[in-house]
């Protein structure tokens, strides 16, 4: 179908990152996230950005597709930069440039905002890289495997994994459905790109109402279909148990200490 | 005055790893009051063709014009597959009036049009207008969704699989609607797998295969030469296959093959085997 889903969509491939164990990928992303939030310098950020760039290169995932995943975040990113860069106490702030009265611009705040925005971007890109290179089943299996110890605490690990798997599976379907409804309402004369903020928000009502009604209906049908096939969520086994290969261990053993070093020392 | 599609090509997700061509060099024209049936296997580009024709997708090459002006969304009424999934308003009448209001039609006039459209799809205005669209059966919801497009009074309409998932009464309604649209001077393009139902009721047919038009012409030409379906890798429709089978029974039964086929095909058959077949055993379906 037509619709491209920038986030949550698996792009099949045979690269090292594609074939790497999903648990390792999750572990590396957690380590990467630690490095991202524990570090505080531009050098660390540049290094992590370079790592991400290499990751996308090795996975043969076009950066253009990844960048589309950042588009929905543009408001948050711009807000983060502006909230840090603009001040209403320009007179009393050090280094602030007054623009109108007390309203001014803080170069230092601008850099801080840029830093936080970059951090959000890298976080999204890292998690996107995992979903771009791992299919939903492998990802759900990996989560089930990682959460297995929680069974001792009576946490419904299998149910959570199934829910996660279904949620991932239905992201493209839901996006496709949304696109179809947008087109149908466009054919009924709705103009999504005209008017002020309030008007633009209101024109989404004819999309969101049928979308959610459809989603609930689909969820209900899916639950019935799963029950009809005797799903209980208990005692489920896999045809292929994921096995950690030597290269997976090597990747994990390199990525985790490296992330700690970046996070702690840079 | 026509809906003109000229040499259009379309590619999804162009420039990405997900890109794929959906249409290649497609041209067609629909005159007011004429209907065209688009037939093709799944993935042949039928739905994309309708979306481009309705101005919802911009073609990479070529152009679509509606009565001389470039087509825009809202000018050509589009009935999507399962259009009932687009209903959203609190009342049925509110949902039907949504399109006309978007076109800038004054409130009173839009609701007047909505009532007319509700009647046109065979639903009682007083009974249905205040009800929630989510309280309807599948067939009723489909009628309301189509009424939403009719209320916009487009000069041309495109319908994507309008009979999918409908029962006999629903299918009969769609067939009547097609006749109604033609008699009102609306140009129509229908995409459907229900060839048996639509073929006798349309003027033109387009066969699509692998993004391209492999045949186009008058419906009666296709009925006269049903082997053309193989060009689009499609099996011959049941009624036309029946007609061919009848033609093979020379010398066994007494009836006018052409007349029977014409009856079965709704009076549009012109290409059945000619002449009467001499009687030996009586009527169709008699004992051997």
């Amino acid at each position: 179908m037509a619709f491209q889903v920038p986030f949550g969509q698996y792009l099949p491939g045979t690269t090292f990152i594609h074939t790497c164990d999903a648990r390792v990928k999750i572990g590396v992303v957690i380590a990467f996230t630690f490095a991202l939030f524990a570090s505080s310098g531009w050098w660390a950020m540049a290094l992590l950005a370079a790592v991400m760039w290499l990751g996308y290169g090795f996975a043969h995932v076009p950066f253009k597709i990844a960048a589309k995943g950042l588009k929905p975040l543009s408001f948050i990113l711009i807000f983060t930069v502006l909230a840090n860069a603009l001040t209403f106490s320009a007179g009393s702030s050090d280094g602030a440039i007054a623009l109108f009265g007390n309203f001014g611009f803080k170069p230092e705040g601008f850099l801080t905002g840029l830093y936080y925005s970059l951090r959000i971007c890298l976080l999204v890109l890292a998690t996107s890289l995992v979903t771009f290179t791992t299919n939903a089943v492998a990802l759900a299996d990996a989560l089930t495997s990682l959460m297995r110890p929680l069974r001792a605490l009576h946490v419904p690990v299998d149910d959570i994994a199934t829910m996660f798997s279904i949620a991932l599976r239905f992201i493209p379907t839901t996006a496709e459905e949304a696109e179809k409804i947008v087109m149908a309402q466009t054919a009924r004369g709705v103009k999504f790109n005209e008017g002020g903020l309030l008007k633009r928000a209101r024109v989404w009502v004819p999309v969101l109402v049928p979308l959610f009604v459809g989603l609930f209906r689909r969820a209900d049908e899916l639950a019935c279909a799963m029950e009809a096939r005797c799903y209980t969520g208990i005692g489920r086994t896999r045809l292929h148990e994921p096995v950690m290969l030597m290269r997976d261990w090597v990747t994990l053993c390199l990525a985790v200490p490296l992330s700690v070093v970046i996070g702690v020392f840079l | 005055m026509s809906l003109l599609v000229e040499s259009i090509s379309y590619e999804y997700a162009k420039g990405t790893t997900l890109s794929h061509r959906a249409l290649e060099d497609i041209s067609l024209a629909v005159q007011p009051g004429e209907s065209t049936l688009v037939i093709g296997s799944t993935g042949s580009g039928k739905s994309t063709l309708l979306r481009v024709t309705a101005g919802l997708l911009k073609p990479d090459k070529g152009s679509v014009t509606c009565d001389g002006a470039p087509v825009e969304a809202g000018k050509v009424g589009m009935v999507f597959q399962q259009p009932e999934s687009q209903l959203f308003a609190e009342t049925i009448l509110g949902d039907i009036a949504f399109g006309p209001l978007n076109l800038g039609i004054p409130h009173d006039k839009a609701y007047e049009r909505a009532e007319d459209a509700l009647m046109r799809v065979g639903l009682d205005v007083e009974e249905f207008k205040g009800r929630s669209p989510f309280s309807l059966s599948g067939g009723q919801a489909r009628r309301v969704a189509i009424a939403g497009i009719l209320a916009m009074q487009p000069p041309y309409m495109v319908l994507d699989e309008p009979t999918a998932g409908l029962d006999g009464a629903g299918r009969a309604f769609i067939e009547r609607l097609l006749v109604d649209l033609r008699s009102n001077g609306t140009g129509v393009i229908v995409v459907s797998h229900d060839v048996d139902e639509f073929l006798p009721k349309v003027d033109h047919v387009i066969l699509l295969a692998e993004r391209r038009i492999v045949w186009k012409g008058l419906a009666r030409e296709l009925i006269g030469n049903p082997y053309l379906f193989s060009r689009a890798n499609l099996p011959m429709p049941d009624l036309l296959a029946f007609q061919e089978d009848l033609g093979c029974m020379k010398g066994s039964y007494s009836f006018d093959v052409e007349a029977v086929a014409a009856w079965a095909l709704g009076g549009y058959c012109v290409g059945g085997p000619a002449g009467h077949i001499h009687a030996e055993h009586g009527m169709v379906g008699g004992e051997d």
Side-chain angles (χ1 to χ4, degrees), chain B residues 250-284:
Chain B
K250 286 179 182 174
S252 300
Y253 295 97
S254 171
F255 59 91
D256 185 333
V257 172
E258 199 169 319
V260 171
W263 163 77
L265 290 166
Y268 279 75
C269 176
V270 292
H276 293 264
I277 298 167
H278 179 68
E280 279 188 17
H281 295 286
M283 54 191 297
V284 178

Side-chain angles (χ1 to χ4, degrees), chain A residues 19-87:
Chain A
T19 52
C20 190
D21 191 292
R23 289 168 294 183
V24 172
K25 285 189 249 188
I26 292 171
V28 171
V29 164
I30 292 170
F32 185 86
T33 308
F34 168 78
L36 207 54
F37 284 91
S39 62
S40 55
W42 280 101
W43 281 112
M45 197 57 69
L47 194 60
L48 291 169
V51 168
M52 200 38 49
W53 184 71
L54 282 174
Y56 273 87
F58 283 137
H60 294 167
V61 175
F63 210 73
K64 208 186 323 183
I65 292 180
K68 279 186 181 170
L70 297 174
K71 214 173 164 186
L73 294 174
S74 50
F75 177 75
I76 295 172
L77 299 177
I78 292 167
F79 181 78
T80 306
V81 173
L82 292 180
N84 283 281
L86 301 175
T87 177

Side-chain angles (χ1 to χ4, degrees), chain B:
Chain B
M1 293 284 278
S2 62
L3 179 61
L4 211 59
V5 176
E6 290 177 293
S7 309
I8 58 161
S9 298
Y10 187 81
E11 185 177 349
Y12 283 112
K14 203 175 177 183
T16 72
T17 51
L18 301 170
S19 71
H20 68 277
R21 282 203 167 277
L23 296 173
E24 296 255 21
D25 195 26
I26 303 278
S27 296
L28 63 98
V30 180
Q31 308 297 330
E34 279 189 357
S35 52
T36 298
L37 174 65
V38 180
I39 308 169
S41 51
T42 306
S44 58
K46 306 184 297 294
S47 296
T48 307
L49 173 60
L50 291 197
R51 289 175 186 199
V52 174
T53 306
L56 300 172
L57 295 176
K58 198 170 178 294
D60 299 325
K61 285 181 194 165
S63 65
V64 183
T65 53
C66 178
D67 294 338
V71 75
E72 285 174 19
K75 276 191 177 177
V76 174
M78 171 137 190
V79 177
F80 278 76
Q81 280 183 39
Q82 297 177 329
E84 55 274 19
S85 62
Q86 301 135 29
L87 303 177
F88 73 97
E90 282 179 45
T91 63
I92 287 170
L93 210 61
D95 207 293
I96 299 173
F98 178 69
L101 288 170
N102 285 329
L103 294 181
I105 309 289
H107 189 273
D108 291 351
K109 186 77 182 161
Y111 274 80
E112 204 176 288
R113 277 194 188 190
E115 289 193 4
D116 286 345
L118 197 54
M119 272 193 286
R120 221 170 141 191
V121 297
L123 295 176
D124 184 72
V125 175
E126 291 309 315
E127 186 189 343
F128 284 93
K129 69 177 184 183
R131 280 175 61 180
S132 163
F134 300 110
S135 69
L136 300 172
S137 70
Q140 288 170 337
R142 176 86 47 105
R143 288 178 190 224
V144 168
I146 291 173
I149 306 298
L150 292 176
M152 295 169 75
Q153 299 182 353
Y156 301 95
M157 274 182 77
V158 293
L159 298 96
D160 195 356
E161 293 285 356
T163 51
L166 288 182
D167 60 9
R171 301 169 96 83
F173 155 69
I174 296 290
E175 286 179 33
R176 283 199 305 276
L177 174 73
L178 195 63
V179 175
D180 178 37
L181 289 171
R182 286 176 58 182
S183 61
N184 280 343
T186 307
V188 181
I189 303 177
V190 188
V191 158
S192 183
H193 290 292
D194 292 324
V195 181
D196 283 322
E197 286 184 32
F198 285 105
L199 193 54
K201 295 170 185 67
V202 296
D203 303 298
H204 302 276
V205 178
I206 287 172
L207 294 181
L208 273 186
E210 293 176 3
R211 314 180 294 273
R212 292 175 185 276
I213 292 178
V214 290
W215 185 85
K216 65 178 172 181
L218 294 170
R220 69 168 73 99
E221 289 172 12
L222 187 62
I223 292 169
N225 187 5
Y227 293 100
L228 287 168
F229 279 95
S230 62
R231 286 197 195 175
N233 301 319
L234 291 168
M236 198 184 293
D238 290 344
L239 279 177
L240 293 179
F242 174 59
Q243 178 192 343
E244 289 298 304
D245 291 344
L246 290 178
C248 296
M249 296 179 187
K250 286 179 182 174
S252 300
Y253 295 97
S254 171
F255 59 91
D256 185 333
V257 172
E258 199 169 319
V260 171
W263 163 77
L265 290 166
Y268 279 75
C269 176
V270 292
H276 293 264
I277 298 167
H278 179 68
E280 279 188 17
H281 295 286
M283 54 191 297
V284 178
E287 288 178 12
D288 289 333

